Amino acid sequence: MNPKFVLYFAWYYGFYVIKRGPSYLLASLSLPLSLLFMVTIFTHGTLIAFAIAGGPIAIVAANSINGAADAAFFRIQIRIQDLYVATSLTSQDYMFALSMSYLVFSLPGIVLYAILGAYFKVFTLSSALPIIGLLILLTLAISNLSFIIAGLLKHIRNVWGITAILSIIMTVLPPTFYPFYYLPRGVIYILSVSPVTPAAVLFQGILFPKAVGMYSSVQLPMFIILIVETLVLIFLGRRFIRWRE
Amino acid sequence: MIEIKGVSKRYDRHLYVLKGVNATLKERVTTIIGRNGAGKTTLVRILSTQLFPTSGTAEIEGLDILKDTKKVREVISSIPQESQLIGILSPLEQMQLYLMARGFSSSQAKRESEYALDELEMYEFRNAPSDTLSGGMKRKVFVAMALAAKSPVIFLDEPTTGLDPLSRIEVWSAIKRLSSKVILTTHYMEEAQELSNEVLVIDQGNIITHGTVKSLLSTFDGKMRAEKLEGREFDIKIANVSIKYIDVNEVDEFVRKGYDIKRINLDDIFLSKGVMLES
Ligand SMILES: Nc1ncnc2c1ncn2[C@@H]1O[C@H](COP(=O)(O)OP(=O)(O)OP(=O)(O)O)[C@@H](O)[C@H]1O
Ligand SMILES: [Mg+2]
């Protein structure tokens, strides 16, 4: 492990993507904010808390999947990955650094939602810790999925199409912006092929214990699914990143 | 010392691009030359543990590139031919990251980076977003990374491509001052001659000559090169340039025939092997 590298890389890269490419940041906020608006209108405000809770998940998931573009760009186009292969840095360090940069890049959005959530009394101080833990897990799971995609690609062009499709499927279909218990139980399990689903279910379990009430029996299986998926994706990410070709 | 032992490489189902390369590189600076597509980058990437050979192996300072990968990576640094800077980060930031990946502390990384950038006259651009640098300046940042890393063995794949003549001299003098073993590829014959004692010539995946500059040139002892556009006498003809190797005592005669007379240099090793360098 090279935590110093991970920290510096995550900060430099994540921060400068925000500073020197702010349009990218706004783009990552446009989907969750539009959905927040729509869900609030359509439900006459009754589901606003759910739509706010879904914001950070959608942001983290979308930024992590879009990270496939960064990883592919670094590997295929500007060949920065090659530079790091011939050092004592391990592929895990490299991937972890990229993942954390995606999280840094998600920070402004998370802060925005934290403010919204505090104002509408969705987030409380006691829920902060488990929520941050979930967001880190989700970042790891999805960014490793993006490393798999980046490793499989031969041409950089495909990455934009694939991530565009995946980020919509993965953030809008799962119960990110609506209560998971609106879905039949079987469908929840089917949708949990995307790690966003267990993360969203757990989020709602933490934030809305009263509303979730009798449906809380899926929480434990969802937690196990999220952990297993994250571990499997990390394992596969290492396989597919093509560290030494 | 680097020992290359029967290294072959085939990408996917393509043809072999390296065909059992064997060589022992003993000198401090070794230059690999060869035409585009000869296999130089492939060989360098295999030696610097970025690419697996299809067969064969190599030892770097006694460490096997396949068995002792971790240790090899501690003693080498390698600047790929095609790497580009991350546009939104500055040269200093990227050099710092590179050195920290190699285990430097952040302050040590900063200090060494600044020093190396200064050595290549790049200090004033250290904090600029890399996007705003010229092509040659970007290349120099990578060379600076290798200089700053100070590893015992350094691979530089075309370090001076795109550099202006002055910048090339800066890079050369920095390489000369190093105590590390350096393996570099280049298309500039004068660079090979200026920097290294040992030259490895690759063509179509095979080594066609290998030796010290002096020994390679010794086959031309007492010879000169005579060149003329559409000359009637020639040993080799490249496009419409006729080239003939003549004895020193034939010089007057060939001058009268309108030939230009040149001193022998590494180009001639290339030319005489029937290989032409496109530079
Ligand atoms: N990733 C790859 N997949 C398939 N073929 C490749 C790949 N990389 C290189 N090649 C082929 O291998 C051969 C050698 O390429 P290499 O890059 O080693 O040449 P080189 O000597 O470095 O050339 P140059 O002077 O242009 O840099 C070429 O024929 C090239 O087409
Ligand atoms: Mg090359």
Side-chain angles (χ1 to χ4, degrees):
Chain A
M1 261 307 261
N2 188 338
K4 249 182 325 196
F5 173 83
V6 171
L7 222 69
Y8 271 78
F9 185 92
W11 179 247
Y12 279 170
Y13 190 60
F15 176 72
Y16 281 117
V17 172
I18 297 170
K19 192 177 162 203
R20 292 178 183 155
S23 68
Y24 198 50
L25 175 71
L26 294 179
S28 81
L29 286 174
S30 57
L31 179 77
L33 286 175
S34 314
L35 283 172
L36 170 61
F37 180 75
M38 275 173 54
V39 169
T40 309
I41 298 289
F42 288 158
T43 66
H44 302 288
T46 51
L47 288 185
I48 186 170
F50 282 87
I52 290 174
I57 297 187
I59 290 169
V60 160
N63 288 338
S64 301
I65 197 70
N66 291 335
D70 293 41
F73 190 64
F74 284 181
R75 183 175 76 78
I76 302 168
Q77 202 73 27
I78 66 170
R79 307 255 183 171
I80 279 295
Q81 184 174 320
D82 223 24
L83 181 75
Y84 284 115
V85 171
T87 66
S88 13
L89 199 74
T90 62
S91 56
Q92 292 100 290
D93 289 330
Y94 174 78
M95 291 189 284
F96 193 45
L98 272 174
S99 300
M100 289 302 109
S101 76
Y102 306 157
L103 195 60
V104 169
F105 176 66
S106 301
L107 278 178
I110 294 174
V111 169
L112 175 71
Y113 270 89
I115 295 168
L116 272 176
Y119 183 76
F120 287 99
K121 301 204 166 43
V122 178
F123 301 133
T124 56
L125 221 49
S126 62
S127 60
L129 218 58
I131 280 181
I132 291 169
L134 274 178
L135 291 178
I136 292 175
L137 264 183
L138 190 62
T139 301
L140 285 176
I142 308 268
S143 57
N144 275 281
L145 175 62
S146 74
F147 300 142
I148 298 171
I149 296 168
L152 286 173
L153 290 175
K154 276 228 153 75
H155 303 286
I156 187 97
R157 286 227 126 255
N158 288 319
V159 81
W160 317 110
I162 293 172
T163 55
I165 298 166
L166 277 180
S167 82
I168 292 289
I169 293 179
M170 292 209 312
T171 54
V172 181
L173 285 190
T176 321
F177 297 98
Y178 60 89
F180 72 85
Y181 47 82
Y182 282 14
L183 295 168
R185 191 163 284 234
V187 176
I188 297 180
Y189 282 99
I190 293 170
L191 286 180
S192 67
V193 291
S194 159
V196 176
T197 302
V201 171
L202 291 166
F203 235 68
Q204 294 177 10
I206 295 165
L207 294 176
F208 316 116
K210 274 209 208 89
V212 169
M214 56 189 277
Y215 306 98
S216 61
S217 63
V218 296
Q219 300 284 327
L220 183 63
M222 285 296 138
F223 182 66
I224 295 169
I225 288 176
L226 181 59
I227 297 283
V228 170
E229 281 182 346
T230 307
L231 292 176
V232 169
L233 287 168
I234 289 175
F235 176 78
L236 292 177
R238 260 174 67 183
R239 276 288 139 94
F240 282 88
I241 190 78
R242 296 187 190 222
W243 194 243
R244 186 181 192 175
E245 287 183 277
Chain B
M1 196 170 87
I2 294 180
E3 235 187 313
I4 308 170
K5 301 190 266 190
V7 167
S8 298
K9 180 66 189 181
R10 161 163 96 165
Y11 290 101
D12 304 324
R13 266 168 236 94
H14 298 83
L15 294 172
Y16 277 93
V17 299
L18 288 178
K19 300 162 184 162
V21 172
N22 287 294
T24 304
L25 313 179
K26 291 193 194 112
E27 302 286 332
R28 192 181 76 79
V29 182
T30 304
T31 309
I32 304 176
I33 55 184
R35 297 192 58 184
N36 292 134
K40 303 179 295 296
T41 296
T42 305
L43 180 60
V44 167
R45 291 188 71 220
I46 288 173
L47 294 178
S48 52
T49 74
Q50 292 157 326
L51 188 67
F52 281 112
T54 307
S55 61
T57 187
E59 274 181 19
I60 293 177
E61 309 288 310
L63 300 164
D64 190 285
I65 54 162
L66 296 176
K67 292 191 208 110
D68 312 309
T69 306
K70 209 165 164 265
K71 283 191 192 135
V72 170
R73 287 177 177 164
E74 280 164 18
V75 300
I76 64 166
S77 49
S78 182
I79 299 306
Q81 178 182 1
E82 291 177 87
S83 287
Q84 292 162 35
L85 296 171
I86 300 172
I88 52 171
L89 297 182
S90 70
L92 188 58
E93 286 155 355
Q94 299 190 66
M95 288 185 64
Q96 245 183 305
L97 288 174
Y98 177 70
L99 294 179
M100 286 169 75
R102 308 190 54 86
F104 285 53
S105 73
S106 60
S107 56
Q108 195 187 3
K110 183 155 183 275
R111 200 170 48 242
E112 294 295 342
S113 303
E114 286 175 341
Y115 184 80
L117 284 170
D118 189 42
E119 203 172 5
L120 298 180
E121 307 280 343
M122 285 289 298
Y123 188 75
E124 60 175 307
F125 303 105
R126 68 193 181 288
N127 290 321
S130 302
D131 271 341
T132 63
L133 304 179
S134 76
M137 284 151 85
K138 289 176 187 158
R139 196 70 197 138
K140 283 211 275 183
V141 175
F142 280 104
V143 176
M145 283 184 199
L147 297 179
K150 296 207 172 83
S151 58
V153 180
I154 299 176
F155 294 93
L156 301 167
D157 198 355
E158 298 197 20
T160 61
T161 298
L163 265 54
D164 66 57
L166 275 182
S167 300
R168 275 166 67 198
I169 292 171
E170 283 159 18
V171 170
W172 291 351
S173 83
I175 291 174
K176 283 183 195 161
R177 280 201 299 276
L178 285 171
S179 55
S180 314
K181 169 147 188 58
V182 178
I183 293 88
L184 68 107
T185 74
T186 185
H187 287 294
Y188 302 112
M189 289 301 133
E190 75 269 30
E191 182 161 304
Q193 219 156 342
E194 175 82 22
L195 284 178
S196 67
N197 268 325
E198 192 174 26
V199 177
L200 194 67
V201 185
I202 301 189
D203 193 52
Q204 295 179 23
N206 294 305
I207 295 183
I208 55 170
T209 15
H210 175 203
T212 59
V213 172
K214 204 166 158 230
S215 71
L216 292 182
L217 292 178
S218 68
T219 49
F220 289 95
D221 274 353
K223 299 265 183 192
M224 299 289 269
R225 182 167 88 208
E227 262 181 37
K228 187 184 176 190
L229 268 182
E230 303 289 0
R232 233 178 291 146
E233 293 168 68
F234 57 85
D235 293 323
I236 318 163
K237 200 160 178 182
I238 296 162
N240 50 2
V241 182
S242 306
I243 294 172
K244 181 148 180 79
Y245 293 102
I246 57 171
D247 286 332
V248 177
N249 56 24
E250 294 174 300
V251 167
D252 287 346
E253 180 192 338
F254 274 82
V255 168
R256 251 180 283 119
K257 289 179 183 164
Y259 278 74
D260 283 335
I261 309 298
K262 304 246 166 89
R263 284 179 58 177
I264 298 292
N265 64 30
L266 277 178
D267 280 331
D268 299 293
I269 294 169
F270 247 91
L271 298 173
S272 64
K273 294 275 174 191
V275 196
M276 183 194 69
L277 194 72
E278 300 162 328
S279 61

